[in-house]
């Protein structure tokens, strides 16, 4: 199965990253403007991590289930910010920059919305300085 | 005949220790790791406590890939604008046999796995175990994602970490309760060696370990800052259910900690060289699964053996201790020709008579206490508030008495004296 054959699992360039869904954190620009610590962009943050992407998506999200989900815990909790809400109440998910941590399937409250497995051996995240 | 006597899944600390001990006992051992090298998938806070290594690799400190030896350990309690730190240092932790050391897991895990290989274990990387081979209840081997990737063994030791799909497949975990888990996020920040020496008041290869409480906002958890040779590791541990309730994302909470007046000057100018995340089994003894089944043992995070109890964040040493016990038990059972659950029962006894289960049983209530609303939200404010009152000179008024200060801080934070006393007693019992 490939990443793009489901309507909710598009390639990464199709989605906009919302790094502050709650809106109660200063954005990088306001932080800089106030002269305090200049926080990096989320893209730059993820660029510090090596991912050996395999063509098979190791995590698949069934966006139809997400429409009925009231909690949507994945959006805030995923440390890689891979769950992006869509206008129609679904979820846009891309597996490529995933830490394989397990947070999403643990907090997901719709049975069967997330099919979770590890990537093929040798693929996925590779840490070097952690 | 089986392909191997013992198959170990996962070349983290538990798996490499298991493979090392089984291979030393003369077993034909296969150690399977899904990462391209051992440690590639693994992140943690940053300090390994080496005493358990003394029993496996004499003089390990001469060859282990160490960043810094911890000679200074601080415990910091924070509110948004205050910080109270207890700071301890000792020169004795800076020489053999040492106490704790910072090291990167991709380095450390690869080193430990190479010791297992030298002892005769076969290490296979870039291979994900996708399931178990079974004969009725009995585990007889593993299925991997390689072509013709089935391998049989008399004993399979699951050291596959916190998500342990193998322990779940055998039915040892009834269900996954997110409140038993925390998410750890961390940044490695590059800083020149001289800057680290100056800011953290350490010399040469000595280093500092700071554990923090009260820095995770409305989500229960904790924080840490560790010095490496030419970088520092700063991170947060966050309870999953509350994190998932929405609001502030993990890296935003970390950004907040980095802006705290007590932390910002320590990390100023540090460039992020790696952002990383991993889940921790937080609930210890109370969430541990069955450890033994026919032809099957579970060790390390796969069995929730990480000790995450506030001032302690120790998992690597527990994983090594458990893995070594599993490797020895498996070897003994293979030699005796009985690898049923009964034949492997000695594993539990070994763990109970060592720190692995003794510490966990003793501290079984600690994770719950540390993650409680009282410890997370109120205690830091009371402690910092008291310190501020004690050290604020209020002339021309006379100094208030200690009891009055305690009383006013308890009241300000809506904490009853009885409540405080009963929690204090409970905590004292747990940590005694
Ligand atoms: C943020 C954070 C901070 C921490 N801080 C500390 C600390 O400072 N000190 C400390 O001692 N501990 C700390 N810990 C805990 C420590 O990291 C763990 O307890 C420890 O790594 C457990 O070792 P393990 O061998 O059981 O599991 P892991 O280290 O997780 O190793 C499991 C291995 O199995 C492999 N694997 C998994 N599934 C498969 C499969 N299906 N097929 C093949 N291979 C597989 C993985 O790739 C991995 O290499 C921390 C943890 C976190 C997340
Ligand atoms: S928590 Fe689960 S069901 Fe809800 S939005 Fe996220 S993935 Fe979908
Ligand atoms: S496993 Fe972790 S990093 Fe990957 S999608 Fe799930 S929560 Fe995000």
């Amino acid at each position: 199965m490939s990443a793009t054959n489901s309507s909710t699992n598009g390639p990464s360039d199709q989605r906009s990253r919302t790094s502050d869904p709650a809106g109660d954190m200063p954005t990088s620009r306001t932080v800089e403007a106030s002269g305090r610590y200049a926080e990096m962009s989320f893209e730059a943050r993820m660029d510090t991590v090596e991912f050996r992407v395999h063509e098979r998506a190791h995590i698949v999200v069934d966006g139809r289930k997400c429409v009925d989900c009231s909690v949507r815990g994945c959006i805030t909790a995923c440390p890689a910010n891979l769950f992006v809400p869509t206008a129609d109440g679904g979820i846009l998910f891309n597996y490529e920059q995933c830490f394989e941590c397990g947070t999403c399937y643990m907090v997901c409250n719709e049975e069967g919305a997330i099919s979770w497995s590890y990537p093929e051996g040798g693929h996925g995240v590779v840490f070097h300085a952690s | 005949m089986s392909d191997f006597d013992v198959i170990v899944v996962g070349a983290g600390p538990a798996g490499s220790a298991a493979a090392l001990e089984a291979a030393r006992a003369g077993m034909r051992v296969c150690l399977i790791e899904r990462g391209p090298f051992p440690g590639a998938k693994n992140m943690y806070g940053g300090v390994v406590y080496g005493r358990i290594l003394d029993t496996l690799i004499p003089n390990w400190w001469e060859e282990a890939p160490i960043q810094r030896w911890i000679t200074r350990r601080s415990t910091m309690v924070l509110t948004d604008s205050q910080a109270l730190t207890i700071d301890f240092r000792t020169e004795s932790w800076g020489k053999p046999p040492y106490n704790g050391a910072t090291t990167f897991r991709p380095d450390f895990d690869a080193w430990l796995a190479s010791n297992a290989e030298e002892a005769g274990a076969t290490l296979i990387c870039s291979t994900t175990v996708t399931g178990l081979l079974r004969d009725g209840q009995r585990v007889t081997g593993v299925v991997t994602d390689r072509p013709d990737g089935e391998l049989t063994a008399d004993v399979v030791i699951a050291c596959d970490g916190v998500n342990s799909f193998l322990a779940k497949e055998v039915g040892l975990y009834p269900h996954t309760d997110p409140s038993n888990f925390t998410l750890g996020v961390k940044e490695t920040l590059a800083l020149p060696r001289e800057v680290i020496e100056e800011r953290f008041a350490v010399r040469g290869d000595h280093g500092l370990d700071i554990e923090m409480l009260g820095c995770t906002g409305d989500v229960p958890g904790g924080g840490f800052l560790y010095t490496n040779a030419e970088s520092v590791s700063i991170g947060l541990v966050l309870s999953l259910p509350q994190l998932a309730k929405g609001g502030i994302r993990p890296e935003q909470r970390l950004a907040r900690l980095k802006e705290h007046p007590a932390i910002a000057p320590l990390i100023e100018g540090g460039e992020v060289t790696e952002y990383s995340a991993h889940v921790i089994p937080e609930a210890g003894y109370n969430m541990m699964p069955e450890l033994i089944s026919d032809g099957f043992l579970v060790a390390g995070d796969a069995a929730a053996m990480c000790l995450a109890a506030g001032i302690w964040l120790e998992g690597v040493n527990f994983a090594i201790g458990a893995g070594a016990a599993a490797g020895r038990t498996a070897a003994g059972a293979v030699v005796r020709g009985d690898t049923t659950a009964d034949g492997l029962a000695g594993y539990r006894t070994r763990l109970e008579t060592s720190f692995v289960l003794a510490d966990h049983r003793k501290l079984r209530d600690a994770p719950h206490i540390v993650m409680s609303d009282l410890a997370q939200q109120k205690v830091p404010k009371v402690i910092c508030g008291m310190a501020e009152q004690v050290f604020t000179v209020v002339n021309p008024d006379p100094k208030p008495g200690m009891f009055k200060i305690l009383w006013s801080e308890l009241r300000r934070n809506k904490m009853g004296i009885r409540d405080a006393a009963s929690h204090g007693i409970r905590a004292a019992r747990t940590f005694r």
Side-chain angles (χ1 to χ4, degrees):
Chain A
M1 182 183 297
S2 96
T4 47
N5 65 359
S6 141
S7 61
T8 51
N9 289 279
S12 50
D13 55 350
Q14 277 180 13
R15 68 211 161 110
S16 64
R17 283 191 187 272
T18 40
S19 62
D20 187 14
D24 50 2
M25 278 296 292
T27 64
S28 42
R29 197 179 291 149
T30 57
V31 171
E32 275 165 46
S34 69
R36 286 184 297 153
Y37 192 87
E39 199 49 40
M40 70 201 308
S41 73
F42 202 85
E43 284 77 2
R45 167 183 300 282
M46 295 309 289
D47 282 348
T48 65
V49 194
E50 184 190 350
F51 295 97
R52 300 187 185 169
V53 180
H54 193 272
E55 64 198 20
R56 180 188 76 98
H58 63 286
I59 299 174
V60 177
V61 179
D62 180 353
R64 287 165 307 183
K65 297 240 165 58
C66 300
V67 177
D68 298 325
C69 171
S70 53
V71 184
R72 300 166 85 78
C74 58
I75 298 172
T76 321
C78 170
N81 201 10
L82 295 176
F83 293 78
V84 179
T86 57
D88 60 358
I91 289 283
L92 195 62
F93 177 81
N94 182 285
Y95 69 96
E96 289 174 14
Q97 293 192 313
C98 166
F99 290 117
E100 301 150 32
C101 68
T103 298
C104 52
Y105 80 79
M106 289 193 201
V107 303
C108 178
N109 66 324
E110 289 288 330
E111 192 73 36
I114 299 180
S115 321
W116 205 100
S117 65
Y118 288 126
E120 267 61 19
H123 291 82
V125 69
V126 178
F127 292 128
H128 296 279
S130 294
Chain B
M1 193 164 105
S2 304
D3 297 326
F4 290 93
D5 297 318
V6 178
I7 289 177
V8 181
V9 182
S16 288
L20 175 64
E21 287 302 277
R24 276 185 181 158
M27 297 292 105
R28 296 171 302 135
V29 180
C30 182
L31 174 60
I32 307 177
E33 168 58 45
R34 65 188 189 89
F37 54 88
K41 300 288 180 184
N42 304 338
M43 71 76 86
Y44 77 143
V47 177
V48 168
Y49 297 93
R51 210 56 332 100
I52 186 65
L53 281 172
D54 300 351
T55 62
L56 298 180
I57 304 167
N59 294 355
W60 55 270
W61 50 81
E62 287 167 9
E63 36 168 292
I66 296 307
Q67 294 279 327
R68 283 177 188 272
W69 303 102
I70 299 300
T71 54
R72 189 177 162 206
R73 181 168 174 145
S74 301
T75 306
M76 197 184 259
V77 179
L78 302 118
T79 70
D80 287 347
S81 60
Q82 299 160 307
L84 178 80
T85 306
I86 297 174
D87 185 29
F88 176 73
R89 65 190 305 157
T90 172
E91 290 305 292
S92 73
W93 291 348
K95 47 182 190 276
Y98 302 100
N99 182 44
T102 48
T103 165
F104 293 138
R105 293 291 298 281
D107 302 337
F108 181 82
D109 291 10
W111 166 77
L112 196 57
S114 72
N115 276 273
E117 277 188 286
E118 276 163 32
T122 304
L123 171 67
I124 306 182
C125 291
S126 296
T127 304
T128 302
V129 171
T130 53
L132 293 167
L133 294 172
R134 297 220 264 174
D135 181 2
Q137 278 305 304
R138 189 185 166 74
V139 174
T140 55
V142 298
V143 184
T144 72
D145 64 352
R146 297 245 177 165
D148 305 317
E150 294 186 359
L151 289 172
T152 57
D154 293 345
V155 182
V156 172
I157 307 179
C159 299
D160 51 340
V162 60
N163 287 302
S164 191
F165 294 112
L166 299 189
K168 286 171 190 160
E169 186 175 334
V170 175
L172 303 185
Y173 276 106
H175 67 290
T176 305
D177 178 355
S179 65
N180 287 338
F181 297 89
T182 52
L183 170 67
V185 287
K186 154 174 151 175
E187 288 175 6
T188 307
L189 305 173
L191 284 172
R193 190 177 283 274
E194 316 77 67
V195 172
I196 290 177
E197 292 193 359
E198 219 167 90
R199 282 188 197 170
F200 299 98
V202 290
R203 290 279 177 273
D205 57 3
H206 290 190
L208 165 69
D209 156 344
I210 309 179
E211 311 290 339
M212 298 170 228
L213 192 67
C215 55
T216 50
D218 54 358
V219 172
F224 56 82
L225 195 165
Y226 303 126
T227 55
N228 307 310
E230 294 185 345
S231 63
V232 298
S233 301
I234 184 164
L236 289 178
V237 171
L238 302 161
S239 178
L240 287 192
Q242 285 91 340
L243 176 65
K245 275 195 183 136
I248 308 171
R249 295 185 34 77
E251 79 284 354
Q252 295 171 325
R253 291 182 191 270
L254 185 53
R256 265 191 192 177
L257 174 63
K258 289 168 69 183
E259 285 176 33
H260 192 284
I263 302 298
L266 299 177
I267 55 165
E268 195 179 334
E271 287 280 329
V272 181
T273 53
E274 194 163 81
Y275 170 55
S276 54
H278 204 280
V279 166
I280 306 175
E282 182 80 20
Y285 199 80
N286 294 332
M287 71 179 284
M288 279 185 197
E290 288 291 328
L291 305 173
I292 305 163
S293 183
D294 289 332
F296 190 72
L297 296 173
V298 194
D301 273 16
M305 287 170 181
C306 180
L307 182 69
I311 49 175
W312 297 290
L313 184 46
E314 301 175 26
V316 172
N317 49 336
F318 280 82
I320 293 172
R328 288 177 202 139
T329 306
V334 169
V335 169
R336 282 195 314 276
D338 179 6
T339 55
T340 63
D342 283 345
L344 293 167
Y347 177 47
R348 193 164 183 108
T349 323
R350 281 178 203 260
L351 295 181
E352 275 169 354
T353 51
S354 82
F355 71 103
V356 177
L357 283 185
D359 285 0
H360 265 292
R361 180 172 302 144
K362 186 172 152 167
L363 291 165
R364 63 195 300 165
D365 284 337
H368 183 71
I369 291 176
V370 172
M371 298 302 256
S372 69
D373 186 54
L374 189 94
Q376 290 284 325
Q377 303 299 336
K378 298 193 172 172
V379 169
K381 292 193 179 97
V382 169
I383 290 178
C384 287
M386 284 182 67
E388 183 151 340
Q389 283 205 51
V390 169
F391 298 130
T392 302
V393 177
V394 290
N395 303 163
D397 290 340
K399 293 189 189 304
M402 280 300 231
F403 190 73
K404 193 172 166 204
I405 292 177
L406 172 64
W407 190 243
S408 75
E409 286 302 326
L410 288 177
R411 219 175 30 212
R412 195 215 305 264
N413 292 290
K414 299 193 177 57
M415 228 170 117
I417 191 99
R418 244 191 233 135
D419 210 25
S422 78
H423 276 85
I425 290 165
R426 197 166 154 222
R429 257 198 218 125
T430 298
F431 291 101
R432 76 178 177 244

